[in-house]
Amino acid sequence: MDFTEETATAAVEASFAGTADPRLREILGSLVRHLHGFVREVEPTFGEWEAAVGFLTATGQRCDDQRQEFILLSDVLGVTMLVDAINHRKASEATESTVLGPFHMVESPPRELGDTIDLVGTGQPCVVTGQVRSLDGHPLGGALVDVWQADDHGFYDVQQPGGQPPGNGRGLFTCDDQGRFWFRTVTPSPYPIPTDGPVGGLLTATGRHPYRPAHIHLIVAAGGHLPVTTHIFVDGSPYLGSDAVFAVKQSLVRDFTEIDDPGQAAAYGVEAPFRHASFDVVLQPAG
C-alpha cells in the first residue's frame, strides 16, 4: 500500500501492532492518531516543520543536571498541571498538589527543625510552621518535608552558582513525633521563570508574561502515605491570577502575616519585623 495522506495514519499505527507492552502500544497508537491529526489540521510548511524540530532540539540542548527545559515547556503549556489533575481526581481532604518546577534537586541538604534555609540574609525574615497529618487527623511523626525556594531577588541557587552558596533556599526537614515542622527563611517574592532558553522565546513570541506569584515549594512524604508535591503561595502576591505555569490553587494560598514583636522574633531566632506563615499538610494513605 502506498504511503499517502489518506493511508499514513493507519500505516504508522499498524507498524506498532507487534508492541508487546499493551500500555505502550495504546500510547503509541494514540500519539500517532493525534499527532497526524494535528499535522493535517495546521498543514505546516517544510520551513515550519524544520522550525518545530529546531525548537525541540534547542529545548533538549538547554537541559542539564540543574535545569530541565522540557519540564518548563510542559509547565507553560499547562500539560504538567493537566497530568497532575488527572492523577488526583479522587475527592479528598488531602493537601492539593501542584507542579514540581524545573529547579528541584534530588538531594536537599538535611537540616534540623528551626534551621534557616536562607544562607544569604538579604531579605525580610520569614518563619514557616506546620504539621503533617493523615486524613483521619493523626499526626505523622517523622514525616519528611523537602522545601526549596528562590532568593528575595527571584533566583535559585543553581541559577547563580557564583552569587549564592550551594543549597541556599533548600532544606530537608524531619518532623517531630507530633508531625510538626518549622524553619526560617526569607520572605518569597514573585519572579520570572527562566527566559534565556527556547521556552522564554515562546512566551515572548506569544505575548505572554513569564512571572510566577511568590511561593515556596514543598514535597512532603510519610510512611504508608502518598507523597505530595505542592506550594505555599503568598496571599496578595501579584500574578496569583495569571501564574505562567497555571499552578495556583486557592487552597494553597496563605497569609504571610507581618509580626513586629521583638519577643516573638526572639523566640524564633529572627529579627523583627518578620513574616509568619502556617501551612499544615494532610496526606492520603497509600493503597
Side-chain angles (χ1 to χ4, degrees):
M1 180 184 296
D2 291 340
F3 191 93
T4 67
E5 188 174 337
E6 291 73 24
T7 65
T9 303
V12 177
E13 189 173 357
S15 74
F16 294 116
T19 304
D21 185 328
R23 177 59 172 166
L24 178 59
R25 185 169 62 249
E26 176 189 13
I27 290 171
L28 289 172
S30 181
L31 173 64
V32 169
R33 293 191 298 273
H34 285 80
L35 184 57
H36 284 211
F38 168 77
V39 171
R40 288 190 177 92
E41 179 181 339
V42 302
E43 297 186 335
T45 65
F46 269 110
E48 290 169 337
W49 177 79
E50 289 174 351
V53 172
F55 176 82
L56 294 176
T57 301
T59 300
Q61 291 171 337
R62 196 62 183 83
C63 298
D64 55 35
D65 291 340
Q66 298 176 334
R67 174 168 170 177
Q68 234 300 347
E69 192 79 359
F70 269 111
I71 288 180
L72 199 62
L73 178 60
S74 175
D75 290 348
V76 303
L77 293 177
V79 175
T80 307
M81 285 303 296
L82 178 57
V83 171
D84 180 82
I86 289 170
N87 283 274
H88 294 89
R89 284 173 174 159
K90 293 182 179 180
S92 171
E93 297 302 316
T95 297
E96 290 194 282
S97 58
T98 186
V99 298
L100 178 69
F103 291 115
H104 178 251
M105 296 179 68
V106 175
E107 295 183 4
S108 292
R111 303 191 192 279
E112 298 296 323
L113 292 177
D115 279 355
T116 184
I117 62 172
D118 173 29
L119 308 181
V120 179
T122 58
Q124 184 181 36
C126 176
V127 175
V128 177
T129 61
Q131 184 185 41
V132 182
R133 303 188 302 271
S134 188
L135 278 179
D136 61 4
H138 183 75
L140 297 176
L144 296 178
V145 181
D146 184 0
V147 299
W148 69 102
Q149 68 173 86
D151 68 6
D152 57 310
H153 298 294
F155 293 99
Y156 290 86
D157 57 344
V158 294
Q159 292 178 284
Q160 296 183 315
Q164 294 187 48
N168 186 48
R170 302 179 189 272
L172 179 63
F173 296 91
T174 301
C175 296
D176 66 14
D177 58 2
Q178 291 300 307
R180 295 171 298 198
F181 66 91
W182 76 281
F183 60 91
R184 292 171 291 154
T185 183
V186 62
T187 304
S189 62
Y191 65 83
I193 62 174
T195 57
D196 58 344
V199 174
L202 174 65
L203 294 181
T204 299
T206 55
R208 283 179 53 186
H209 76 71
Y211 286 92
R212 301 215 58 209
H215 63 276
I216 299 173
H217 294 265
L218 301 91
I219 297 177
V220 183
H225 291 73
L226 298 176
V228 65
T229 299
T230 191
H231 285 26
I232 311 173
F233 290 100
V234 179
D235 192 18
S237 174
Y239 311 110
L240 280 175
S242 62
D243 183 5
V245 304
F246 309 100
V248 176
K249 295 181 178 180
Q250 191 57 42
S251 69
L252 305 179
V253 178
R254 291 292 185 276
D255 182 22
F256 280 62
T257 306
E258 185 169 75
I259 299 175
D260 194 6
D261 181 335
Q264 291 189 54
Y268 284 123
V270 297
E271 294 185 0
F274 69 99
R275 292 191 179 272
H276 173 255
S278 177
F279 188 76
D280 292 348
V281 179
V282 178
L283 298 181
Q284 295 188 104

XYZ file of all heavy atoms in Angstrom, residues 87-120:
261
model
N -4.237 12.794 37.698
C -3.760 11.828 38.682
C -4.218 12.119 40.110
O -3.836 11.407 41.041
C -2.231 11.754 38.634
C -1.731 10.949 37.456
O -1.612 9.738 37.547
N -1.481 11.616 36.331
N -5.014 13.167 40.290
C -5.544 13.480 41.616
C -7.036 13.760 41.526
O -7.543 14.740 42.059
C -4.807 14.683 42.225
C -3.368 14.416 42.525
N -2.367 14.624 41.595
C -2.751 13.932 43.632
C -1.204 14.292 42.130
N -1.411 13.871 43.348
N -7.752 12.855 40.849
C -9.193 13.033 40.654
C -10.005 12.701 41.896
O -11.105 13.209 42.070
C -9.659 12.153 39.499
C -9.299 12.680 38.122
C -9.649 11.672 37.059
N -9.451 12.190 35.717
C -9.291 11.425 34.651
N -9.325 10.102 34.788
N -9.127 11.955 33.462
N -9.504 11.812 42.755
C -10.289 11.372 43.892
C -10.559 12.519 44.851
O -9.660 13.257 45.235
C -9.567 10.238 44.626
C -9.466 8.956 43.812
C -8.777 7.856 44.606
C -8.705 6.571 43.801
N -8.026 5.487 44.557
N -11.840 12.658 45.229
C -12.200 13.686 46.198
C -11.533 13.368 47.533
O -11.540 12.233 47.998
C -13.709 13.749 46.359
N -10.933 14.354 48.135
C -10.200 14.101 49.364
C -9.948 15.418 50.090
O -9.922 16.484 49.485
C -8.876 13.418 49.044
O -8.056 13.346 50.177
N -9.755 15.305 51.377
C -9.362 16.462 52.174
C -7.850 16.622 52.204
O -7.326 17.480 52.909
C -9.898 16.313 53.607
C -11.417 16.282 53.706
C -12.053 17.530 53.122
O -11.548 18.637 53.399
O -13.038 17.396 52.384
N -7.154 15.785 51.458
C -5.701 15.856 51.428
C -5.238 17.163 50.793
O -5.943 17.768 49.982
C -5.127 14.671 50.658
N -4.037 17.576 51.152
C -3.454 18.789 50.591
C -3.325 18.647 49.076
O -2.878 17.620 48.567
C -2.073 19.039 51.215
O -2.241 19.250 52.620
C -1.395 20.256 50.592
N -3.714 19.693 48.360
C -3.671 19.643 46.902
C -2.226 19.717 46.406
O -1.365 20.351 47.013
C -4.489 20.781 46.310
C -5.987 20.623 46.515
C -6.766 21.567 45.644
O -6.843 22.760 45.995
O -7.306 21.125 44.602
N -2.021 19.086 45.277
C -0.690 19.059 44.668
C -0.595 20.121 43.577
O -1.593 20.668 43.127
C -0.409 17.680 44.073
O -1.397 17.355 43.112
N 0.651 20.360 43.162
C 0.895 21.284 42.057
C 2.246 20.948 41.432
O 2.804 19.894 41.707
C 0.792 22.747 42.533
O 0.890 23.621 41.413
C 1.853 23.108 43.536
N 2.773 21.822 40.584
C 3.933 21.469 39.759
C 5.214 21.311 40.574
O 5.402 21.936 41.615
C 4.177 22.527 38.658
C 2.988 22.610 37.714
C 4.460 23.894 39.276
N 6.099 20.446 40.054
C 7.421 20.281 40.646
C 8.318 21.461 40.305
O 9.084 21.946 41.141
C 8.055 18.980 40.146
C 9.472 18.678 40.627
C 9.466 18.367 42.118
C 10.065 17.499 39.846
N 8.232 21.932 39.062
C 9.098 23.020 38.626
C 10.442 22.495 38.140
O 10.804 21.339 38.386
N 11.207 23.348 37.447
C 12.450 22.891 36.818
C 13.675 22.922 37.711
O 14.752 22.514 37.294
C 12.615 23.883 35.661
C 12.030 25.156 36.194
C 10.869 24.731 37.063
N 13.553 23.379 38.975
C 14.748 23.584 39.790
C 14.793 22.741 41.054
O 15.535 23.052 41.978
C 14.896 25.066 40.153
C 15.231 25.933 38.972
C 14.335 26.888 38.531
C 16.415 25.767 38.292
C 14.626 27.679 37.430
C 16.721 26.552 37.190
C 15.819 27.514 36.754
N 13.993 21.674 41.102
C 14.112 20.772 42.245
C 15.381 19.944 42.117
O 15.748 19.509 41.026
C 12.907 19.833 42.333
C 13.013 18.850 43.457
N 13.230 17.500 43.259
C 12.971 19.030 44.798
C 13.301 16.887 44.425
N 13.156 17.789 45.375
N 16.067 19.745 43.257
C 17.260 18.899 43.289
C 16.913 17.602 44.004
O 16.105 17.580 44.931
C 18.410 19.619 44.002
C 18.868 20.879 43.287
S 20.197 21.732 44.146
C 21.535 20.566 43.962
N 17.516 16.509 43.560
C 17.186 15.200 44.122
C 17.514 15.152 45.613
O 16.772 14.579 46.405
C 17.938 14.089 43.375
C 17.682 12.736 44.031
C 17.500 14.051 41.914
N 18.599 15.772 46.017
C 19.008 15.721 47.416
C 19.133 17.137 47.987
O 20.090 17.849 47.704
C 20.334 14.983 47.570
C 20.260 13.502 47.195
C 21.573 12.789 47.430
O 22.514 13.441 47.951
O 21.670 11.601 47.111
N 18.147 17.529 48.792
C 18.262 18.797 49.509
C 19.095 18.566 50.768
O 19.076 17.467 51.337
C 16.873 19.313 49.900
O 16.133 19.682 48.767
N 19.814 19.584 51.235
C 20.644 19.381 52.432
C 19.789 19.136 53.665
O 18.862 19.913 53.945
C 21.415 20.709 52.541
C 20.621 21.692 51.742
C 19.964 20.915 50.658
N 20.035 18.060 54.430
C 19.271 17.827 55.664
C 19.515 18.950 56.662
O 20.653 19.421 56.828
C 19.833 16.495 56.175
C 20.481 15.855 54.987
C 20.998 16.982 54.151
N 18.455 19.388 57.305
C 18.567 20.451 58.300
C 17.732 20.097 59.522
O 16.769 19.331 59.438
C 18.113 21.797 57.720
C 18.876 22.219 56.459
C 18.583 23.663 56.089
N 19.062 24.014 54.763
C 20.311 24.342 54.463
N 21.229 24.345 55.402
N 20.648 24.662 53.211
N 18.104 20.684 60.664
C 17.348 20.483 61.898
C 16.133 21.399 61.911
O 16.130 22.471 61.285
C 18.234 20.784 63.110
C 19.448 19.875 63.246
C 19.064 18.429 63.472
O 18.065 18.192 64.195
O 19.749 17.544 62.935
N 15.082 20.976 62.626
C 13.900 21.826 62.761
C 14.310 23.185 63.324
O 15.065 23.280 64.297
C 12.878 21.165 63.686
C 12.217 19.889 63.156
C 11.279 19.307 64.214
C 11.457 20.157 61.860
N 13.797 24.241 62.687
C 14.123 25.594 63.116
C 15.317 26.193 62.418
O 15.571 27.403 62.545
N 16.086 25.379 61.687
C 17.217 25.922 60.934
C 16.715 26.891 59.861
O 15.556 26.853 59.441
C 17.999 24.804 60.252
C 18.969 24.104 61.192
O 19.107 24.549 62.344
O 19.571 23.096 60.771
N 17.618 27.715 59.399
C 17.296 28.607 58.296
C 17.773 27.999 56.978
O 18.814 27.335 56.928
C 17.917 29.997 58.479
O 17.485 30.856 57.391
C 19.436 29.942 58.514
N 16.985 28.211 55.929
C 17.431 27.824 54.590
C 17.959 29.043 53.840
O 18.411 28.918 52.703
C 16.306 27.141 53.792
C 15.122 28.085 53.568
C 15.851 25.868 54.479
C 14.061 27.516 52.621
N 17.878 30.214 54.480
C 18.395 31.441 53.878
C 19.834 31.637 54.313
O 20.100 32.036 55.451
C 17.532 32.633 54.303
C 18.103 33.967 53.847
O 18.791 33.978 52.806
O 17.858 34.985 54.535
N 20.764 31.344 53.416
C 22.183 31.432 53.741
C 22.793 32.764 53.334
O 24.003 32.955 53.486
C 22.938 30.286 53.041
C 22.380 28.882 53.265
C 23.235 27.847 52.528
C 22.267 28.560 54.742
N 21.965 33.681 52.831
C 22.462 34.967 52.341
C 22.059 36.100 53.275
O 22.853 36.989 53.588
C 21.952 35.242 50.914
C 22.453 36.587 50.414
C 22.408 34.130 49.971
